Amino acid sequence: METFFKILKTAVNGGASDVHVKIGTPIIVRIKGELVAVDGPIPTAEWLDEVLQHIVPKHYERKLEEERE
């Protein structure tokens, strides 16, 4: 979770409007309409599952599992 919070903090401090996280690809932030790769570890399925367990409200877990978004 520490890495995820660092990414979010960097995104906010950089004025990013979006953070795109996809397994196996660099994390991307959108700053002033431009997509920029974040210098950091490439997300794994295990890492992303751990992050999602901490940030997704319980009542959305089923929808996330079904739609994967």
Side-chain angles (χ1 to χ4, degrees):
M1 284 303 297
E2 182 179 337
T3 300
F4 181 69
F5 288 129
K6 285 181 182 179
I7 291 166
L8 289 181
K9 185 175 182 178
T10 300
V12 169
N13 290 340
S17 61
D18 300 69
V19 177
H20 301 266
V21 181
K22 185 175 179 183
I23 296 167
T25 63
I27 294 174
I28 304 289
V29 295
R30 183 184 312 273
I31 300 175
K32 296 181 182 175
E34 187 174 331
L35 297 176
V36 180
V38 172
D39 185 27
I42 304 295
T44 63
E46 295 81 15
W47 178 81
L48 189 53
D49 283 343
E50 180 183 337
V51 169
L52 293 175
Q53 286 177 11
H54 285 89
I55 66 170
V56 174
K58 295 292 181 197
H59 62 280
Y60 280 116
E61 287 178 349
R62 184 175 181 159
K63 183 176 182 172
L64 176 66
E65 191 64 33
E66 291 171 359
E67 298 177 16
R68 296 307 294 169
E69 284 201 17

Coordinates of all heavy atoms in Angstrom, one line a residue:
M1 N 0.8 -1.2 0.0 CA 0.0 0.0 0.0 C 0.9 1.3 0.0 O 0.4 2.3 -0.5 CB -0.9 0.0 1.2 CG -2.1 -0.9 1.1 SD -3.2 -0.7 -0.4 CE -3.8 1.0 0.0
E2 N 2.0 1.2 0.6 CA 2.9 2.3 0.7 C 3.2 2.8 -0.7 O 3.2 4.0 -1.0 CB 4.2 2.0 1.4 CG 5.1 3.2 1.6 CD 6.4 2.8 2.4 OE1 6.3 1.8 3.1 OE2 7.4 3.5 2.2
T3 N 3.5 1.9 -1.6 CA 3.9 2.3 -3.0 C 2.7 3.0 -3.7 O 2.8 4.0 -4.4 CB 4.3 1.1 -3.8 OG1 5.4 0.5 -3.2 CG2 4.6 1.5 -5.3
F4 N 1.5 2.4 -3.5 CA 0.3 3.0 -4.1 C 0.0 4.4 -3.6 O -0.3 5.3 -4.3 CB -0.9 2.1 -3.8 CG -2.2 2.6 -4.3 CD1 -2.4 2.6 -5.7 CD2 -3.2 3.1 -3.5 CE1 -3.6 3.1 -6.3 CE2 -4.4 3.6 -4.1 CZ -4.6 3.6 -5.4
F5 N 0.2 4.6 -2.3 CA 0.0 6.0 -1.7 C 1.0 7.0 -2.2 O 0.7 8.1 -2.5 CB 0.0 5.9 -0.2 CG -1.3 5.3 0.4 CD1 -1.2 4.3 1.3 CD2 -2.5 5.7 -0.1 CE1 -2.4 3.7 1.8 CE2 -3.7 5.2 0.5 CZ -3.6 4.2 1.4
K6 N 2.3 6.5 -2.4 CA 3.3 7.4 -3.0 C 2.9 7.8 -4.4 O 3.1 8.9 -4.9 CB 4.7 6.7 -3.0 CG 5.3 6.6 -1.7 CD 6.6 5.9 -1.7 CE 7.3 5.8 -0.4 NZ 8.6 5.1 -0.4
I7 N 2.4 6.8 -5.2 CA 2.0 7.1 -6.6 C 0.8 8.1 -6.6 O 0.9 9.1 -7.3 CB 1.5 5.8 -7.3 CG1 2.7 4.9 -7.5 CG2 0.8 6.1 -8.6 CD1 2.4 3.5 -7.9
L8 N -0.2 7.9 -5.7 CA -1.3 8.9 -5.6 C -0.8 10.3 -5.2 O -1.2 11.3 -5.8 CB -2.3 8.4 -4.6 CG -3.2 7.2 -5.1 CD1 -4.2 6.9 -4.0 CD2 -3.8 7.5 -6.4
K9 N 0.1 10.3 -4.2 CA 0.7 11.6 -3.8 C 1.4 12.3 -4.9 O 1.2 13.5 -5.1 CB 1.6 11.4 -2.6 CG 2.1 12.7 -1.9 CD 2.9 12.4 -0.7 CE 3.3 13.8 -0.1 NZ 4.0 13.6 1.2
T10 N 2.2 11.6 -5.6 CA 2.9 12.1 -6.7 C 2.0 12.7 -7.8 O 2.2 13.7 -8.4 CB 3.9 11.1 -7.4 OG1 4.8 10.7 -6.3 CG2 4.6 11.6 -8.5
A11 N 0.9 11.9 -8.1 CA -0.1 12.3 -9.1 C -0.8 13.6 -8.6 O -0.9 14.5 -9.4 CB -1.1 11.2 -9.3
V12 N -1.2 13.7 -7.4 CA -1.9 14.9 -6.9 C -0.9 16.1 -6.9 O -1.3 17.1 -7.4 CB -2.4 14.7 -5.5 CG1 -2.9 16.0 -4.8 CG2 -3.5 13.6 -5.5
N13 N 0.3 15.9 -6.5 CA 1.3 17.0 -6.5 C 1.6 17.4 -7.9 O 2.0 18.6 -8.1 CB 2.5 16.6 -5.7 CG 2.3 16.5 -4.2 OD1 1.4 17.0 -3.7 ND2 3.2 15.7 -3.5
G14 N 1.5 16.5 -8.8 CA 1.8 16.9 -10.2 C 0.6 17.4 -11.0 O 0.7 17.7 -12.2
G15 N -0.5 17.5 -10.3 CA -1.7 18.0 -11.0 C -2.4 17.0 -11.9 O -3.1 17.4 -12.8
A16 N -2.2 15.7 -11.6 CA -2.8 14.7 -12.5 C -4.3 14.6 -12.3 O -4.8 14.8 -11.1 CB -2.2 13.3 -12.2
S17 N -5.1 14.4 -13.3 CA -6.5 14.2 -13.2 C -6.9 12.8 -13.2 O -8.0 12.5 -12.8 CB -7.2 14.9 -14.4 OG -6.8 14.4 -15.6
D18 N -6.0 11.9 -13.7 CA -6.4 10.5 -13.8 C -5.1 9.7 -13.4 O -4.0 10.1 -13.6 CB -6.7 10.0 -15.2 CG -7.9 10.7 -15.7 OD1 -7.8 11.9 -16.0 OD2 -9.0 10.1 -15.9
V19 N -5.3 8.5 -12.9 CA -4.3 7.5 -12.7 C -4.8 6.2 -13.3 O -5.8 5.7 -12.9 CB -4.0 7.3 -11.1 CG1 -2.9 6.2 -11.0 CG2 -3.5 8.6 -10.5
H20 N -4.0 5.7 -14.2 CA -4.4 4.4 -14.9 C -3.5 3.3 -14.4 O -2.3 3.4 -14.6 CB -4.3 4.6 -16.4 CG -5.1 5.7 -17.0 ND1 -6.4 5.5 -17.5 CD2 -4.9 7.0 -17.1 CE1 -6.9 6.6 -17.9 NE2 -6.0 7.6 -17.6
V21 N -4.1 2.2 -13.9 CA -3.3 1.1 -13.4 C -3.8 -0.1 -14.1 O -5.0 -0.5 -14.1 CB -3.5 0.9 -11.9 CG1 -2.7 -0.2 -11.4 CG2 -3.2 2.2 -11.1
K22 N -2.8 -0.8 -14.8 CA -3.1 -2.0 -15.5 C -2.0 -3.0 -15.2 O -0.8 -2.7 -15.3 CB -3.3 -1.7 -17.0 CG -3.7 -2.9 -17.8 CD -3.9 -2.5 -19.3 CE -4.3 -3.7 -20.1 NZ -4.4 -3.4 -21.5
I23 N -2.4 -4.3 -15.0 CA -1.4 -5.3 -14.7 C -0.4 -5.4 -15.9 O -0.8 -5.5 -17.0 CB -2.1 -6.6 -14.4 CG1 -2.9 -6.5 -13.2 CG2 -1.1 -7.8 -14.3 CD1 -3.9 -7.7 -13.0
G24 N 0.9 -5.4 -15.5 CA 1.9 -5.7 -16.5 C 2.4 -4.5 -17.4 O 3.2 -4.6 -18.2
T25 N 1.8 -3.3 -17.1 CA 2.2 -2.1 -17.8 C 2.5 -1.0 -16.8 O 2.0 -1.0 -15.7 CB 1.1 -1.6 -18.8 OG1 -0.1 -1.2 -18.0 CG2 0.7 -2.7 -19.8
P26 N 3.3 0.0 -17.2 CA 3.6 1.1 -16.3 C 2.4 1.8 -15.9 O 1.4 1.9 -16.7 CB 4.5 2.0 -17.1 CG 5.1 1.1 -18.2 CD 4.0 0.1 -18.5
I27 N 2.4 2.3 -14.7 CA 1.2 3.2 -14.2 C 1.3 4.5 -15.0 O 2.4 5.1 -15.2 CB 1.3 3.4 -12.7 CG1 1.1 2.1 -12.0 CG2 0.3 4.5 -12.3 CD1 1.3 2.1 -10.5
I28 N 0.2 5.0 -15.5 CA 0.1 6.2 -16.3 C -0.7 7.2 -15.5 O -1.8 6.9 -15.0 CB -0.6 5.9 -17.6 CG1 0.1 4.7 -18.4 CG2 -0.7 7.1 -18.5 CD1 1.5 5.1 -18.9
V29 N -0.3 8.5 -15.6 CA -1.1 9.6 -15.1 C -1.4 10.5 -16.2 O -0.6 10.7 -17.2 CB -0.4 10.3 -13.9 CG1 -0.2 9.4 -12.7 CG2 1.0 10.9 -14.3
R30 N -2.5 11.2 -16.1 CA -2.9 12.2 -17.1 C -2.6 13.6 -16.5 O -3.3 13.9 -15.5 CB -4.3 12.1 -17.5 CG -4.7 13.1 -18.6 CD -6.2 13.0 -19.0 NE -6.7 11.6 -19.2 CZ -6.6 10.9 -20.3 NH1 -6.1 11.5 -21.4 NH2 -7.0 9.7 -20.4
I31 N -1.7 14.4 -17.1 CA -1.4 15.7 -16.6 C -1.6 16.7 -17.7 O -1.0 16.6 -18.8 CB 0.0 15.8 -16.0 CG1 0.2 14.8 -14.9 CG2 0.3 17.2 -15.6 CD1 1.6 14.8 -14.3
K32 N -2.6 17.6 -17.5 CA -2.9 18.6 -18.6 C -3.2 17.9 -19.9 O -2.8 18.4 -21.0 CB -1.8 19.6 -18.7 CG -1.6 20.4 -17.5 CD -0.5 21.5 -17.7 CE -0.4 22.2 -16.4 NZ 0.8 23.2 -16.4
G33 N -3.9 16.8 -19.9 CA -4.4 16.1 -21.1 C -3.3 15.1 -21.6 O -3.6 14.4 -22.6
E34 N -2.1 15.1 -21.1 CA -1.0 14.3 -21.6 C -0.8 13.1 -20.7 O -0.8 13.2 -19.5 CB 0.3 15.1 -21.7 CG 1.4 14.3 -22.3 CD 2.6 15.2 -22.5 OE1 2.5 16.4 -22.7 OE2 3.7 14.6 -22.5
L35 N -0.7 11.9 -21.3 CA -0.5 10.7 -20.6 C 1.0 10.5 -20.3 O 1.8 10.6 -21.2 CB -1.0 9.5 -21.3 CG -2.5 9.5 -21.5 CD1 -2.9 8.3 -22.4 CD2 -3.3 9.5 -20.2
V36 N 1.4 10.3 -19.0 CA 2.8 10.2 -18.6 C 3.0 9.0 -17.8 O 2.2 8.7 -16.8 CB 3.2 11.5 -17.8 CG1 4.6 11.4 -17.4 CG2 2.9 12.7 -18.5
A37 N 4.0 8.1 -18.2 CA 4.3 6.9 -17.4 C 5.0 7.3 -16.1 O 5.8 8.2 -16.1 CB 5.2 6.0 -18.2
V38 N 4.6 6.6 -15.0 CA 5.2 6.9 -13.7 C 6.4 5.9 -13.6 O 6.4 4.8 -13.9 CB 4.2 6.5 -12.6 CG1 4.8 6.6 -11.2 CG2 3.0 7.5 -12.7
D39 N 7.5 6.5 -13.1 CA 8.7 5.7 -12.9 C 8.5 4.9 -11.6 O 8.5 5.5 -10.5 CB 9.9 6.7 -12.8 CG 11.2 5.9 -12.7 OD1 11.3 4.8 -13.2 OD2 12.2 6.4 -12.1
G40 N 8.4 3.6 -11.8 CA 8.2 2.8 -10.6 C 7.9 1.4 -11.0 O 8.0 1.0 -12.2
P41 N 7.6 0.5 -10.1 CA 7.4 -0.9 -10.4 C 6.2 -1.1 -11.2 O 5.2 -0.3 -11.2 CB 7.2 -1.5 -9.0 CG 6.9 -0.4 -8.1 CD 7.5 0.8 -8.6
I42 N 6.2 -2.1 -12.1 CA 5.1 -2.5 -12.9 C 4.1 -3.3 -12.1 O 4.5 -4.2 -11.3 CB 5.6 -3.4 -14.1 CG1 6.7 -2.7 -14.9 CG2 4.4 -3.8 -15.0 CD1 6.2 -1.4 -15.6
P43 N 2.8 -2.9 -12.1 CA 1.9 -3.6 -11.3 C 1.7 -5.1 -11.6 O 1.7 -5.5 -12.8 CB 0.5 -2.9 -11.6 CG 0.9 -1.6 -12.1 CD 2.3 -1.8 -12.8
T44 N 1.7 -5.9 -10.6 CA 1.4 -7.3 -10.7 C -0.1 -7.6 -10.2 O -0.7 -6.7 -9.6 CB 2.3 -8.2 -9.8 OG1 2.1 -7.8 -8.4 CG2 3.8 -7.9 -10.2
A45 N -0.6 -8.7 -10.6 CA -1.9 -9.1 -10.2 C -2.0 -9.1 -8.7 O -3.0 -8.6 -8.1 CB -2.3 -10.4 -10.8
E46 N -1.0 -9.7 -8.0 CA -1.1 -9.8 -6.5 C -1.1 -8.4 -5.9 O -1.8 -8.1 -4.9 CB 0.1 -10.6 -6.0 CG 0.1 -12.0 -6.5 CD 0.6 -12.3 -7.9 OE1 1.3 -11.3 -8.5 OE2 0.4 -13.3 -8.5
W47 N -0.2 -7.5 -6.4 CA -0.1 -6.2 -5.8 C -1.4 -5.4 -6.0 O -2.0 -4.8 -5.1 CB 1.0 -5.4 -6.5 CG 1.2 -4.0 -6.0 CD1 1.8 -3.6 -4.9 CD2 0.7 -2.8 -6.7 NE1 1.7 -2.2 -4.8 CE2 1.0 -1.7 -5.9 CE3 0.0 -2.6 -7.9 CZ2 0.7 -0.4 -6.2 CZ3 -0.3 -1.3 -8.2 CH2 0.0 -0.2 -7.4
L48 N -2.0 -5.5 -7.2 CA -3.2 -4.8 -7.5 C -4.4 -5.3 -6.7 O -5.2 -4.6 -6.2 CB -3.6 -4.8 -9.0 CG -4.7 -4.0 -9.5 CD1 -4.6 -2.5 -9.0 CD2 -4.9 -4.1 -11.0
D49 N -4.5 -6.6 -6.5 CA -5.5 -7.2 -5.7 C -5.4 -6.7 -4.2 O -6.4 -6.4 -3.6 CB -5.4 -8.8 -5.7 CG -6.0 -9.4 -6.9 OD1 -6.7 -8.7 -7.7 OD2 -5.7 -10.6 -7.2
E50 N -4.2 -6.6 -3.7 CA -4.0 -6.1 -2.3 C -4.4 -4.6 -2.2 O -5.1 -4.3 -1.3 CB -2.5 -6.2 -1.9 CG -2.2 -5.6 -0.6 CD -0.8 -5.6 -0.2 OE1 0.0 -6.4 -0.7 OE2 -0.4 -4.9 0.7
V51 N -4.1 -3.8 -3.2 CA -4.5 -2.4 -3.2 C -6.0 -2.4 -3.3 O -6.7 -1.6 -2.5 CB -3.9 -1.7 -4.4 CG1 -4.6 -0.3 -4.6 CG2 -2.4 -1.5 -4.3
L52 N -6.7 -3.1 -4.1 CA -8.1 -3.1 -4.3 C -8.8 -3.5 -3.0 O -9.9 -3.0 -2.7 CB -8.6 -3.9 -5.5 CG -8.1 -3.4 -6.8 CD1 -8.5 -4.4 -7.9 CD2 -8.7 -2.0 -7.1
Q53 N -8.3 -4.5 -2.3 CA -8.9 -4.9 -1.0 C -8.9 -3.8 0.0 O -9.8 -3.8 0.8 CB -8.1 -6.1 -0.5 CG -8.3 -7.4 -1.2 CD -7.4 -8.5 -0.6 OE1 -6.8 -8.4 0.5 NE2 -7.4 -9.6 -1.3
H54 N -8.0 -2.9 -0.1 CA -7.9 -1.7 0.8 C -8.8 -0.5 0.4 O -9.2 0.3 1.2 CB -6.5 -1.3 1.0 CG -5.7 -2.2 1.9 ND1 -5.0 -3.3 1.3 CD2 -5.5 -2.3 3.2 CE1 -4.4 -3.9 2.3 NE2 -4.7 -3.4 3.5
I55 N -9.0 -0.4 -0.9 CA -9.7 0.9 -1.3 C -11.1 0.7 -1.8 O -11.9 1.7 -1.9 CB -8.8 1.6 -2.4 CG1 -8.7 0.8 -3.7 CG2 -7.5 2.0 -1.8 CD1 -8.1 1.6 -4.8
V56 N -11.5 -0.5 -2.2 CA -12.8 -0.7 -2.8 C -13.8 -1.0 -1.7 O -13.6 -1.9 -0.8 CB -12.8 -1.9 -3.8 CG1 -14.2 -2.3 -4.3 CG2 -11.9 -1.6 -5.0
P57 N -14.9 -0.2 -1.6 CA -15.9 -0.5 -0.5 C -16.5 -1.9 -0.7 O -16.6 -2.4 -1.8 CB -17.0 0.6 -0.8 CG -16.3 1.6 -1.6 CD -15.2 0.9 -2.4
K58 N -16.8 -2.5 0.4 CA -17.4 -3.9 0.4 C -18.6 -4.0 -0.6 O -18.7 -5.0 -1.3 CB -17.8 -4.3 1.8 CG -16.6 -4.4 2.7 CD -15.7 -5.6 2.4 CE -14.6 -5.7 3.4 NZ -13.5 -6.4 2.9
H59 N -19.4 -3.0 -0.6 CA -20.6 -3.2 -1.5 C -20.3 -3.1 -3.0 O -21.2 -3.3 -3.8 CB -21.7 -2.2 -1.1 CG -21.3 -0.7 -1.2 ND1 -20.5 -0.1 -0.3 CD2 -21.6 0.2 -2.2 CE1 -20.3 1.2 -0.7 NE2 -21.0 1.3 -1.8
Y60 N -19.1 -2.7 -3.4 CA -18.7 -2.7 -4.8 C -17.8 -3.9 -5.2 O -17.5 -4.0 -6.4 CB -17.9 -1.4 -5.1 CG -18.8 -0.2 -5.3 CD1 -18.7 0.9 -4.4 CD2 -19.7 -0.1 -6.3 CE1 -19.5 2.0 -4.6 CE2 -20.5 1.0 -6.5 CZ -20.4 2.1 -5.6 OH -21.2 3.2 -5.8
E61 N -17.5 -4.7 -4.3 CA -16.6 -5.8 -4.6 C -17.1 -6.7 -5.7 O -16.4 -7.1 -6.6 CB -16.2 -6.6 -3.4 CG -15.3 -5.9 -2.4 CD -15.0 -6.7 -1.2 OE1 -15.7 -7.7 -0.9 OE2 -14.1 -6.2 -0.4
R62 N -18.4 -7.1 -5.6 CA -19.0 -8.0 -6.6 C -19.0 -7.3 -8.0 O -18.7 -8.0 -8.9 CB -20.5 -8.3 -6.1 CG -21.1 -9.3 -7.1 CD -22.5 -9.7 -6.5 NE -23.0 -10.7 -7.4 CZ -24.0 -11.5 -7.1 NH1 -24.5 -11.5 -5.9 NH2 -24.5 -12.4 -7.9
K63 N -19.4 -6.1 -8.0 CA -19.4 -5.4 -9.3 C -18.0 -5.3 -9.9 O -17.8 -5.5 -11.1 CB -19.9 -3.9 -9.2 CG -20.0 -3.2 -10.4 CD -20.7 -1.8 -10.3 CE -20.8 -1.1 -11.6 NZ -21.5 0.1 -11.5
L64 N -17.0 -5.0 -9.1 CA -15.6 -5.0 -9.6 C -15.2 -6.4 -10.1 O -14.6 -6.5 -11.2 CB -14.7 -4.6 -8.4 CG -13.2 -4.6 -8.8 CD1 -12.9 -3.6 -9.9 CD2 -12.4 -4.4 -7.5
E65 N -15.6 -7.4 -9.4 CA -15.2 -8.8 -9.8 C -15.9 -9.1 -11.2 O -15.3 -9.7 -12.0 CB -15.6 -9.8 -8.7 CG -15.1 -11.2 -9.0 CD -13.6 -11.3 -8.9 OE1 -13.0 -10.5 -8.1 OE2 -13.0 -12.1 -9.6
E66 N -17.1 -8.7 -11.3 CA -17.9 -9.0 -12.6 C -17.4 -8.2 -13.7 O -17.2 -8.7 -14.8 CB -19.4 -8.8 -12.3 CG -20.0 -9.8 -11.4 CD -21.4 -9.4 -11.0 OE1 -21.9 -8.4 -11.5 OE2 -22.0 -10.2 -10.3
E67 N -17.1 -6.9 -13.5 CA -16.8 -6.0 -14.6 C -15.3 -5.7 -14.8 O -14.9 -5.2 -15.8 CB -17.6 -4.7 -14.4 CG -19.1 -4.9 -14.5 CD -19.8 -3.6 -14.2 OE1 -19.2 -2.5 -14.3 OE2 -21.0 -3.7 -13.9
R68 N -14.6 -6.0 -13.8 CA -13.1 -5.8 -13.7 C -12.7 -4.3 -14.1 O -11.7 -4.0 -14.6 CB -12.4 -6.7 -14.7 CG -12.5 -8.2 -14.3 CD -12.1 -8.5 -12.9 NE -10.7 -8.3 -12.6 CZ -10.2 -8.3 -11.4 NH1 -10.9 -8.5 -10.4 NH2 -8.9 -8.1 -11.2
E69 N -13.6 -3.4 -13.7 CA -13.3 -1.9 -13.8 C -13.7 -1.2 -12.6 O -14.7 -1.6 -12.0 CB -14.0 -1.4 -15.0 CG -13.3 -1.7 -16.3 CD -13.7 -0.8 -17.4 OE1 -14.2 0.3 -17.2 OE2 -13.5 -1.2 -18.6

